Amino acid sequence: MNIGRFRDRNADIRAAGVRSAVDDENSASKCMTISHIEEVADHLMRTDCRRKQLRNAGLLWRESPCLPTVTVPELMAIEKSKSRFTVFKEKFSEEMYLKQAKLGEVKPTGSKPDNVTNLSCTFGRETRSKERLYDMVLPPKPAEQVNREFAKFHDKYVISHNHYFPSEQVNRNYKQPFCKDATYGAGTRGDVSGQLVKRCLQQCAGHVIIISKEQMDFIDRTFPRLGKKYKKYPYLVPSDMIYGTPTYVPDCDCKMLIEDISPCQSNKHLIEALGHLNMWRHKLQKRSDFHMFDLISVLEHSDKEQTRYLPLKKIFEVMHKMHLYIDIYKMRTTLAHFKMILDENCPTERVNYDDFCRLLSIQNSLPTTGNISTMPANVYNKDTTYRLFCSDLGKQPVEAPAMRKPRPKKLDDDSTHVKDLLTPDISLLYGLSPSDFQLLRPKEQLELIFKDIVSNADFDTIWQQLMQTHQEQNGLVSVVQFREVMDNMEPASQTAN
C-alpha cells in the first residue's frame, strides 16, 4: 500500500533499541503498540460509555424532544450542591483514571517496558573518534588565525549583522553607473596650480585703489598703518611701551634666580616626551575599539624572521595604519632614555616590540627613571636659616669623661665566701669588692693608698722588692701583693726596734 511513497535514506544504520524476538502470538501491530493495562481499561470504558450515549441520544431524539429543566444558576452552582462523599468519589475516580502527576513529581507514562533501562540498552551508534566534543565544536586556533578568519569573513558579517569596523566606509551596493571615486557637485573653474591667486588678490588691474573720504577717515580712526603703532591714547601711554604678548620667553625662573644656577634646557624635551607617553597610556586604556593584542598580532605578522625585533620606523607605520598617531620624535626620545633602542642611529636600528607594547600598556608599570633633572654644583653652598640651625651637627662633640671600668663580676663571685657574707669586712661595707684589691695599679696610686700607713723609705723598699719579684707586670702592682710584702716586713722592723 505504501510502496513507492517513502524512501529509506539510512538503510545501512540499524534501528535504535534492543531487537525483540517476534513469535506467532505477537504480531507486528501488537509489538508497535506499548501501553499500560490501566490505560487500556480506561480506553475501553470510555469507548463503551460514548457508544451508549450516542445510542440513547438517537432514541430520545426520534421519540420526542427533551427540553432542559435546569436553570443557568443551578448549573453554575452544581459544585456547591454536591456532598462530601460525592466530591471524594469524583476525586478518587480522577486520580484513578486520569493520570496526572502531583506537584514536583514526574508523570508515569507506562510506554516503556521495565526491562529497558539506560544500562541494558544503548541507543544509536558508538562514536569511534577519540577527540573531545569541545575540540570538535570549538577547535583550538591561534590568535593570528582567529583574526585572519575574522577579517576574511568581515564582508559576510557586514551583510548579516550590518557591523562595520571603526572609520570603515559603508558600502551601499549602488549599481552602475555610480562611481564612489567621483566628485559630487558641479566642477569649479578655479585654478588648481595656483597661478591665478595673485590676480585674485589684486583689487584692480592697473593698481588703482579707489577709496572714498568717509572710508579713509574710518580707516584712520580704527586701523594703524603697516609698521606704525596705533595711537589710541597719544597723551597717556608712554612712547616706549610695547603692545602684545612678548614672543621671547626667558629661560630663567624664580628658582634659578634664588639658587644662582644656570638654566638647563636638556631635560625639557625629556619631560615633554614622558608626559606624551603617559597621555597615550591613559588614552589607549579608555578606547573601547582598541586592544593591545591586536597591535602585537600585526607586529608579529610584520616580523617575517620571528626575531621579536622591528625597526622603529616600521612600528610607527603600523601604528599610523591603526589610526594611532603618536608623536614620533617624543616617543623616540622616551625609548632612548629607557635604553630600549638597539644599535641607535645605525642602519640596523631596531626595537623589541614586546617591550614597546608593554611600555604603552597602563597595566604595566613604567621603568624606574630616577632623577632626570641636573643638580647644580653649588646647590648646597647657601646659608639659610635652617642650615644655620643645623650647623652644630658638623662640630666635633664634646667627649665625656672616661668612665670607670666595670669590675670583673666573675672574679668577685669567685673571691667572695660565706664568711664575707656573714661577717663582711669594712671594705665591703663601703662598696669595695675583692677585684678592687686584686687590680694592678701604678706606683702613684699605691702611694696615695699607703701614704698614712707606710713611710716613704719602707714604701721604696717594698716597691723595689715587688719589682724584682713581679717583673712581668710592667711596673704594676696590686694592693694584695703590696700588703703581703708589707706584712712580711713588719716583724723584722719590730725585731730591730
Side-chain angles (χ1 to χ4, degrees), residues 92-108:
F92 181 77
S93 300
E94 290 178 357
E95 292 180 355
M96 182 175 180
Y97 297 105
L98 186 60
K99 298 296 182 180
Q100 291 183 353
K102 295 182 180 180
L103 186 62
E105 296 182 358
V106 181
K107 180 180 178 181

Side-chain angles (χ1 to χ4, degrees), residues 76 87 91 131 135 146 177 264 274 296 328 342 362 419:
M76 298 298 294
V87 173
K91 184 178 179 181
E131 297 179 357
D135 297 338
V146 174
C264 182
L274 292 176
I296 297 175
I328 299 176
L342 298 180
I362 199 172
K419 179 183 177 182

Side-chain angles (χ1 to χ4, degrees), residues 159-369:
I159 298 175
S160 61
H161 293 75
N162 195 22
H163 177 75
Y164 292 86
F165 285 135
S167 70
E168 183 181 1
Q169 185 179 5
V170 178
N171 185 12
R172 304 190 184 278
N173 298 320
Y174 292 129
K175 298 181 180 179
Q176 295 296 335
F178 172 78
C179 180
K180 66 177 182 179
D181 298 329
T183 305
Y184 292 90
T188 59
R189 298 180 181 180
D191 184 20
V192 181
S193 61
Q195 296 179 1
L196 302 178
V197 176
K198 182 178 180 181
R199 184 182 301 177
C200 296
L201 294 177
Q202 295 177 357
Q203 294 184 2
C204 298
H207 302 283
V208 178
I209 302 175
I210 301 174
I211 302 176
S212 62
K213 183 67 169 60
E214 291 79 4
Q215 184 179 0
M216 192 62 191
D217 294 341
F218 176 75
I219 292 174
D220 291 338
R221 290 194 308 269
T222 55
F223 297 98
R225 295 297 180 184
L226 183 63
K228 292 184 179 180
K229 184 173 61 175
Y230 175 57
K231 296 182 180 181
K232 187 175 182 180
Y233 306 101
Y235 302 103
L236 301 178
V237 181
S239 60
D240 57 346
M241 179 175 289
I242 300 175
Y243 290 89
T245 305
T247 57
Y248 171 72
V249 180
D251 297 333
C252 298
D253 54 3
C254 184
K255 179 181 178 181
M256 295 178 183
L257 294 175
I258 294 175
E259 297 290 341
D260 192 16
I261 56 178
S262 59
C264 182
Q265 295 293 332
S266 60
N267 297 325
K268 181 179 179 181
H269 302 290
L270 179 58
I271 293 173
E272 293 178 355
L274 292 176
H276 184 72
L277 172 64
N278 193 24
M279 178 195 68
W280 268 99
R281 283 162 62 92
H282 288 277
K283 185 183 293 185
L284 295 178
Q285 178 68 17
K286 294 179 181 179
R287 289 184 59 172
S288 59
D289 58 337
F290 173 78
H291 298 281
M292 192 62 65
F293 182 77
D294 298 336
L295 178 59
I296 297 175
S297 301
V298 177
L299 293 176
E300 286 180 352
H301 184 69
S302 303
D303 187 10
K304 304 298 182 181
E305 300 178 358
Q306 300 295 328
T307 58
R308 315 301 293 181
Y309 285 90
L310 283 176
L312 191 58
K313 183 178 180 182
K314 182 66 176 178
I315 295 177
F316 289 138
E317 289 179 359
V318 172
M319 294 184 67
H320 287 177
K321 290 180 181 179
M322 299 180 65
H323 306 285
L324 303 176
Y325 300 103
I326 194 169
D327 196 318
I328 299 176
Y329 302 101
K330 292 182 180 180
M331 198 64 198
R332 185 181 181 86
T333 304
T334 305
L335 295 175
H337 175 69
F338 291 132
K339 299 180 180 180
M340 297 176 60
I341 305 177
L342 298 180
D343 301 338
E344 189 175 359
N345 298 326
C346 296
T348 59
E349 183 181 72
R350 60 194 185 276
V351 176
N352 189 336
Y353 52 85
D354 291 332
D355 297 339
F356 179 79
C357 295
R358 198 176 296 112
L359 188 67
L360 290 178
S361 177
I362 199 172
Q363 297 178 356
N364 299 312
S365 59
L366 288 173
T368 304
T369 58

